[in-house]
Amino acid sequence: MLSFSLLVKPTTTTARVGRLLGRGITLETPGFISPSSRGVVPHLSHDNLRDHTNIQGVYVALEDFVEKGLHSSPAIQHSGPLRAFTSQPDNSFLFLGARRSPPVQTAAANTDHSVAILTSVGFCDLKINDYISAVSALRPDAAISVPDIPTKPPGKNRRPKMVFRIEKWLDALLQGSGEVPIIAVMPPLEMSEQSLYIDMLVERKDKLVGLALYDSVHAHELPAELNDLLRLAMDDPGNPHKLLKSITGGIDLFNLSFPNAATDSGIALDFVFPGEKLSESRLRPMGRDLWDTEAFEEGSKTFLEVYEPELPQRTGEGPRMRGYQYKPMPGPKKNKKAFEKFGGADKLDDATSPDTDSATLEHGGFAERLDS
């Protein structure tokens, strides 16, 4: 089971310090998890994720695995949990949701019984009951209830429908998810527009481990009865400054997309917290643009000044050359002979055959004759 506890109660600020516990893993908050693509953190292999990062959790979308339908999905047909299917390290949390983060806009609208998703083969609908079945079968560390968020800003009549569907879908998930901890969705609406839904969350808070906010600016407006629940921000802050502002506003955990977006753009993030002030008034950049041609030229000049122009000369033999490493050409062989004739080449040439018959050799114990 998953549990969250506040270590320091907010007094003069709404910023919180807490701890998420589950399966012997501890995640201190404020903290973050990373979105994934089919269970893999972009740009990181599993061993690098485990050995060289401090990413303690990933967010996995069910729409990544259901291009053939839920019951034909290899993730569902796999005998173990989703963690085993995606080879997720044991020292990190796995959160399951219906859609990617951030989600791709879909052409179709959601219905009362399904949400529109984008799989690897195109758009389709994911039935709410199928999502609930997947949560029970895949057994993530926590599952996020299904949000009903339209692609366009909702109008006056659409907003009550959003809240109604989210509440209905959460109720169904709580009844059918088994022992999987549930994180309830908080839609991007004003608190006054979802007051009845919030009352329902207060009544059922003992069945919840946290809240997934799709507009983290409203975190500080949550009622005091829900303070003990984990607050997971599903809206990406976009940069470290806005992330710090969200922490001040009371967010515990972030599903961060901007580091992946920066990496996709060729930007290497380069900053520390809180940082050291410069004597001059200019501000430091928070990243390095690896596509910057001017910086590349300056780096190339520095590289020429630091290193010798040629690689060291070979002094050892190295491993044997393989056929795919060179083309056969006239001249000496690339490799030494791996084997020689037993006793040397001349020994075999000088050897003579015995001048006796087989019966004599057998009698002398040289060999035993076998009849065929």
Side-chain angles (χ1 to χ4, degrees), residues 313-322 325 333-338:
Q313 293 295 320
R314 171 179 172 176
T315 58
E317 295 183 1
R320 289 176 59 81
M321 298 288 287
R322 305 299 179 188
Q325 293 176 303
K333 292 185 177 182
K334 299 290 185 180
N335 299 315
K336 286 185 176 182
K337 286 185 177 182

Side-chain angles (χ1 to χ4, degrees), residues 39 46-47 49-50 81-90 94:
H46 282 343
D47 55 340
L49 175 69
R50 180 194 62 221
L82 183 60
R83 167 179 303 280
F85 180 77
T86 59
S87 299
Q88 189 67 27
D90 291 332
L94 190 151

Side-chain angles (χ1 to χ4, degrees), residues 301-371:
K301 292 178 181 178
T302 303
F303 192 85
L304 289 173
E305 295 172 357
V306 172
Y307 297 101
E308 295 179 352
E310 299 292 341
L311 292 174
Q313 293 295 320
R314 171 179 172 176
T315 58
E317 295 183 1
R320 289 176 59 81
M321 298 288 287
R322 305 299 179 188
Y324 59 82
Q325 293 176 303
Y326 67 93
K327 294 181 179 179
M329 300 290 289
K333 292 185 177 182
K334 299 290 185 180
N335 299 315
K336 286 185 176 182
K337 286 185 177 182
F339 304 99
E340 298 285 353
K341 294 179 180 179
F342 181 73
D346 296 338
K347 295 284 186 181
L348 186 60
D349 295 338
D350 296 339
T352 58
S353 300
D355 55 354
T356 184
D357 57 17
S358 60
T360 305
L361 291 174
E362 183 180 0
H363 181 72
F366 178 77
E368 180 181 355
R369 181 178 178 178
L370 299 176
D371 295 330

Side-chain angles (χ1 to χ4, degrees), residues 44-55:
L44 287 174
S45 61
H46 282 343
D47 55 340
N48 284 327
L49 175 69
R50 180 194 62 221
D51 299 336
H52 302 293
T53 75
N54 194 32
I55 299 175

Side-chain angles (χ1 to χ4, degrees), residues 135-282:
V135 169
S136 179
L138 297 177
R139 304 194 298 279
D141 293 311
I144 300 171
S145 61
V146 183
D148 179 33
I149 301 177
T151 56
K152 297 180 180 180
K156 180 177 64 175
N157 296 328
R158 182 69 174 86
R159 294 177 185 179
K161 185 181 290 185
M162 286 174 57
V163 178
F164 170 76
R165 286 175 176 174
I166 289 174
E167 180 176 346
K168 178 182 177 182
W169 296 345
L170 172 61
D171 182 61
L173 181 62
L174 289 173
Q175 294 183 35
S177 62
E179 298 182 355
V180 176
I182 302 301
I183 299 176
V185 162
M186 293 295 298
L189 299 173
E190 297 293 335
M191 291 296 163
S192 59
E193 297 178 297
Q194 48 183 322
S195 57
L196 295 178
Y197 175 59
I198 293 176
D199 291 341
M200 176 260 204
L201 294 179
V202 172
E203 292 176 2
R204 302 195 174 187
K205 67 177 184 178
D206 293 339
K207 297 182 179 180
L208 302 172
V209 71
L211 304 173
L213 290 92
Y214 281 79
D215 190 355
S216 55
V217 72
H218 297 303
H220 69 282
E221 302 175 14
L222 290 169
E225 293 88 344
L226 300 177
N227 279 347
D228 292 336
L229 297 179
L230 173 75
R231 297 175 181 176
L232 170 63
M234 296 299 292
D235 57 333
D236 187 69
N239 63 58
H241 291 294
K242 294 181 180 179
L243 185 146
L244 293 174
K245 185 176 180 180
S246 295
I247 292 176
T248 303
I251 294 297
D252 301 310
L253 197 62
F254 295 86
N255 186 23
L256 290 185
S257 299
F258 78 81
N260 290 337
T263 305
D264 290 340
S265 303
I267 297 175
L269 300 179
D270 184 16
F271 61 87
V272 295
F273 180 80
E276 183 179 349
K277 291 183 178 180
L278 297 175
S279 56
E280 59 269 25
S281 59
R282 68 181 181 87

